[in-house]
Amino acid sequence: MSHSIKDVALRAGCSIATVSRVLAGKGYISDEARQKVEAAVKELGYRPNRVARSLRAQRSRVIGLVLSDICNPFFSEISRAVERVAVRHGYTVLICNTDEDPKREEHFLKLLEEEKVAGILLSPTRASAKSLDSSILPPLVLFDRKVAGKHLDSVVIDNEEAALKLTRHLLAGKHQKIAGIFGAKSYTASARIKGFQAAFIGAETRMAGIYQVPAFEAEGARIMAEILTNEPLVDAVVCSSALLATGAYTTLRQKGPHLLEAGGFVCFDDPSWASFVEPSVSVIRQPATTLGEAAADLLMKRIVDPTRSVSEIVLRGDLIERGK
Amino acid sequence: MSHSIKDVALRAGCSIATVSRVLAGKGYISDEARQKVEAAVKELGYRPNRVARSLRAQRSRVIGLVLSDICNPFFSEISRAVERVAVRHGYTVLICNTDEDPKREEHFLKLLEEEKVAGILLSPTRASAKSLDSSILPPLVLFDRKVAGKHLDSVVIDNEEAALKLTRHLLAGKHQKIAGIFGAKSYTASARIKGFQAAFIGAETRMAGIYQVPAFEAEGARIMAEILTNEPLVDAVVCSSALLATGAYTTLRQKGPHLLEAGGFVCFDDPSWASFVEPSVSVIRQPATTLGEAAADLLMKRIVDPTRSVSEIVLRGDLIERGK
DNA sequence: ACCCAGTGTGTAAACGTTTACACATTTTGA
DNA sequence: TCAAAATGTGTAAACGTTTACACACTGGGT
């Protein structure tokens, strides 16, 4: 068993209040007491118990990060940024994978409340409105996605604009029929679909189907194969995330290289290979690190001042034009 | 403020002990009491305070995951597996990025001890031996890397054997001079270097330099360019991680396509593009999910029974032969 | 000589649980 | 019929902090 503040007090020959004050560095302390306490702390290798601290303070130095898939490079980049900012402010990060499942999301939000975390960063699933008002939650900042009808701190990317930009870029080529592959269930996907559709207004190129599948590589590969057989006239594809794009690209390499050679493939998220395949593929690069940092910063501010006015930050994706 | 067990007791017309017993489901409780308590819990929307629980129990339902970079796909796959297992056992995961910095590692280990986590999963940096015995740590399982001279639970991959296998595969081709790019500072890197070197014993092909750099994409690109200019005779490269490989590959696309065309590039970690570039590249696929699950399982067992005998699990990497 | 502000320290309550112990009542078994 | 065991409940202590409050002492200004 490790030592408690009592042991330190005993050793330093003072009361636990004095020890606590020395540790916290506030209140009046004589030099003599300070030195004795510091010596005792060192000798015993005393480390304060954060659980006790949290209980007393009614708030811990932990923040919760609730996201749908830490293996998605977009989210892992965000996690990294969040962790950095948190550590800089003396917080640690509790990570929760929802897999886009509202049940799991609700479970985690409750859990985090029970853990008395100082704040929560959440990229909500479609159906999360309910879980949000059902209980008294700690300070909360949304990232990547918003919740309809809720006025909350948030940091998102203008997905509609980005998808519009990306699709228009494709439209500038001479493709006849463009299909779109998007993630299922997410706010993000809907926004991108809107932008995708908007790009066709007044354009000659015809839009083919809009496909929504769970955001995994295998799903991207599967749906791409399906499109290739069901809609043989499709000669261009917009892909809504690195994971889906990687899967779709693999399929295209095998079963639709003509499409790739004609530059008919673009996607979100700048996967590493996009720059070195031939021809290289144009992408929307999402500022994931900036997003993660902004969201974490916002949360820190919200924790310090719960009454501050709501911030809704919108970032823009960058179109990186490639294609040989 | 949310409700406490006291409020529930008041509402249910019993003592807090009874409420606690109903919630824990142990001890003798009458049906009447149980129903009243359950009703009160529901009406008040009561949720237990885990911080108080942890303080009382001297152990929380949180485990710490200490790794060097969550953006590294190898580690993010592990994180995901760990999180899954943890949640299944009713735990949450506190994530800590060390960036291979022993100072940060030491800081996090102390922090996790202060948080009274139930256990720790650690992929140690080179210099972590000290921080490991300096304090009384919670149950600990090492993953991906071991610590020399310590007999601790661990799950690692046989990196020497894997590197040997991978290099031999390259040796079967007709390359003249093979360079190796490895991560810096890590136990893993040393083991892979050993295997790399061992492959040349009795072989005709000459080994060129062994390069060690921090495991980031940009570093891989940089060092690859350096090799190309400093050792123009190098006609094959072994790369020690997906991150380094992606960087190195990008450079090679531009400045050394002949090397790629001759199949002179192999790496660890099966990055997504390895299968669809031309010619496709052979890799060692590391069983990251298996590793993460095994490590988390081991930790769960260690938490339940601190006296059980130490397990050192060694997994094998799979050589995936590609190349056109 | 007295008061007040500024220092320095200790005591004890509080945070929300779990649980050992005590006590009361009921059931069981001889 | 009575002891022992089983059942049900409450009281209070403990976990390790922080901090309000009380108290004591110092020194300076009147």
Side-chain angles (χ1 to χ4, degrees), chain A residues 47 50 80 99 111 114, chain B residues 47 50 80 99 114:
Chain A
R47 327 230 70 230
R50 296 196 178 231
R80 176 164 234 269
D99 290 329
L111 190 81
E114 292 177 16
Chain B
R47 328 228 71 230
R50 293 194 180 234
R80 175 164 235 270
D99 290 329
E114 293 177 15

Side-chain angles (χ1 to χ4, degrees), chain A residues 167 170-171 173-180 196-197 199-210 231-238:
Chain A
T167 313
L170 204 54
L171 250 28
K174 46 199 173 313
H175 310 285
Q176 297 305 306
K177 213 171 169 195
I178 303 180
F196 177 68
Q197 290 172 319
F200 292 91
I201 296 170
E204 287 168 23
T205 312
R206 278 178 304 147
M207 176 170 53
I210 287 171
E231 303 203 60
L233 292 180
V234 164
D235 59 356
V237 178
V238 172

Side-chain angles (χ1 to χ4, degrees), chain A residues 122-164:
Chain A
L122 168 69
S123 74
T125 60
R126 252 293 166 60
S128 31
K130 249 181 306 175
S131 29
L132 282 185
D133 46 29
S134 65
S135 44
I136 318 100
L137 283 176
L140 183 86
V141 173
L142 303 176
F143 67 94
D144 187 46
R145 311 162 184 180
K146 292 192 201 180
V147 172
K150 295 265 171 192
H151 190 53
L152 291 167
D153 286 316
S154 62
V155 184
V156 298
I157 282 157
D158 186 341
N159 283 291
E160 188 170 338
E161 186 261 359
L164 181 68

Side-chain angles (χ1 to χ4, degrees), chain A residues 262-284:
Chain A
F265 189 85
V266 297
C267 69
F268 272 74
D269 280 350
D270 202 14
S272 54
W273 48 265
S275 59
F276 61 64
V277 292
E278 312 249 316
S280 54
V281 339
S282 298
V283 301
I284 291 285

Side-chain angles (χ1 to χ4, degrees), chain A residues 65-319:
Chain A
L65 178 61
V66 185
L67 39 71
S68 53
D69 180 11
I70 203 172
C71 280
N72 184 326
F74 174 64
F75 284 118
S76 58
E77 193 179 330
I78 290 177
S79 311
R80 176 164 234 269
V82 166
E83 206 261 357
R84 289 203 125 118
V85 174
V87 167
R88 195 181 313 140
H89 286 80
Y91 287 80
T92 45
V93 178
L94 212 41
I95 209 148
C96 306
N97 255 319
T98 64
D99 290 329
E100 285 320 342
D101 178 351
K103 285 266 179 245
R104 280 174 66 93
E105 178 183 290
E106 197 182 332
H107 166 80
F108 283 130
L109 290 177
K110 283 184 178 171
L111 190 81
L112 292 172
E113 199 273 320
E114 292 177 16
E115 284 285 359
K116 303 298 170 199
V117 295
I120 296 178
L121 288 166
L122 168 69
S123 74
T125 60
R126 252 293 166 60
S128 31
K130 249 181 306 175
S131 29
L132 282 185
D133 46 29
S134 65
S135 44
I136 318 100
L137 283 176
L140 183 86
V141 173
L142 303 176
F143 67 94
D144 187 46
R145 311 162 184 180
K146 292 192 201 180
V147 172
K150 295 265 171 192
H151 190 53
L152 291 167
D153 286 316
S154 62
V155 184
V156 298
I157 282 157
D158 186 341
N159 283 291
E160 188 170 338
E161 186 261 359
L164 181 68
K165 227 161 34 178
L166 185 62
T167 313
R168 277 207 180 129
H169 171 75
L170 204 54
L171 250 28
K174 46 199 173 313
H175 310 285
Q176 297 305 306
K177 213 171 169 195
I178 303 180
I181 303 179
F182 301 88
K185 292 188 274 185
S186 81
Y187 168 89
T188 313
S190 335
R192 290 181 190 171
I193 290 173
K194 263 190 212 152
F196 177 68
Q197 290 172 319
F200 292 91
I201 296 170
E204 287 168 23
T205 312
R206 278 178 304 147
M207 176 170 53
I210 287 171
Y211 298 85
Q212 289 192 266
V213 295
F216 295 110
E217 203 176 309
E219 286 296 316
R222 197 186 54 70
I223 197 72
M224 190 69 247
E226 209 177 299
I227 294 171
L228 248 26
T229 56
N230 293 353
E231 303 203 60
L233 292 180
V234 164
D235 59 356
V237 178
V238 172
C239 237
S240 168
S241 80
L243 251 24
L244 291 175
T246 303
Y249 194 91
T250 310
T251 299
L252 285 173
R253 268 282 162 193
Q254 293 160 18
K255 305 184 183 165
H258 58 286
L259 189 151
L260 296 177
E261 275 141 37
F265 189 85
V266 297
C267 69
F268 272 74
D269 280 350
D270 202 14
S272 54
W273 48 265
S275 59
F276 61 64
V277 292
E278 312 249 316
S280 54
V281 339
S282 298
V283 301
I284 291 285
R285 168 112 186 73
Q286 298 195 79
T289 295
T290 309
L291 190 150
E293 283 173 355
D297 279 336
L298 210 51
L299 183 58
M300 295 298 138
K301 287 183 191 157
R302 170 67 56 209
I303 289 170
V304 172
D305 175 13
T307 66
R308 81 195 282 282
S309 66
V310 170
S311 297
E312 298 192 296
I313 299 177
V314 178
L315 304 173
R316 301 190 135 227
D318 298 318
L319 174 63

Side-chain angles (χ1 to χ4, degrees), chain B residues 140-324:
Chain B
L140 183 85
V141 173
L142 302 176
F143 67 94
D144 186 47
R145 312 163 183 180
K146 292 192 200 179
V147 172
K150 296 263 168 193
H151 190 54
L152 292 167
D153 285 318
S154 61
V155 185
V156 298
I157 282 156
D158 186 341
N159 283 291
E160 187 170 339
E161 186 260 359
L164 181 69
K165 228 162 31 179
L166 184 62
T167 312
R168 279 209 179 127
H169 171 74
L170 204 53
L171 251 29
K174 47 198 172 314
H175 310 284
Q176 297 305 306
K177 212 173 170 194
I178 303 181
I181 302 178
F182 300 89
K185 294 188 275 185
S186 81
Y187 168 89
T188 314
S190 333
R192 290 181 190 170
I193 289 173
K194 262 191 212 152
F196 177 68
Q197 290 172 319
F200 291 91
I201 296 170
E204 287 167 25
T205 310
R206 279 178 302 148
M207 175 170 53
I210 286 169
Y211 299 85
Q212 288 193 267
V213 294
F216 295 109
E217 204 176 308
E219 286 296 314
R222 197 186 54 70
I223 197 72
M224 191 67 245
E226 208 176 299
I227 294 171
L228 248 25
T229 56
N230 292 353
E231 303 204 61
L233 292 180
V234 164
D235 60 354
V237 177
V238 174
C239 236
S240 168
S241 80
L243 251 24
L244 290 175
T246 302
Y249 194 90
T250 310
T251 299
L252 285 173
R253 268 282 161 194
Q254 293 159 19
K255 304 184 183 165
H258 58 285
L259 189 152
L260 296 177
E261 273 141 36
F265 189 87
V266 298
C267 69
F268 272 75
D269 277 351
D270 204 13
S272 53
W273 48 266
S275 59
F276 61 64
V277 291
E278 313 249 316
S280 53
V281 340
S282 297
V283 301
I284 292 285
R285 168 113 186 73
Q286 298 197 80
T289 294
T290 310
L291 189 152
E293 282 173 356
D297 278 337
L298 211 50
L299 183 59
M300 294 298 138
K301 286 183 192 157
R302 171 66 57 207
I303 289 170
V304 172
D305 176 12
T307 67
R308 79 196 284 282
S309 66
V310 171
S311 298
E312 298 192 296
I313 299 177
V314 178
L315 304 174
R316 302 192 133 227
D318 298 318
L319 175 63
I320 302 180
E321 303 191 37
R322 299 204 180 96
K324 189 65 181 185

Side-chain angles (χ1 to χ4, degrees), chain A residues 19-40:
Chain A
V19 177
S20 178
R21 279 188 283 249
V22 169
L23 262 37
K26 50 174 141 181
Y28 299 111
I29 311 115
S30 65
D31 273 358
E32 197 198 334
R34 165 171 287 116
Q35 278 160 27
K36 280 204 288 190
V37 168
E38 279 167 357

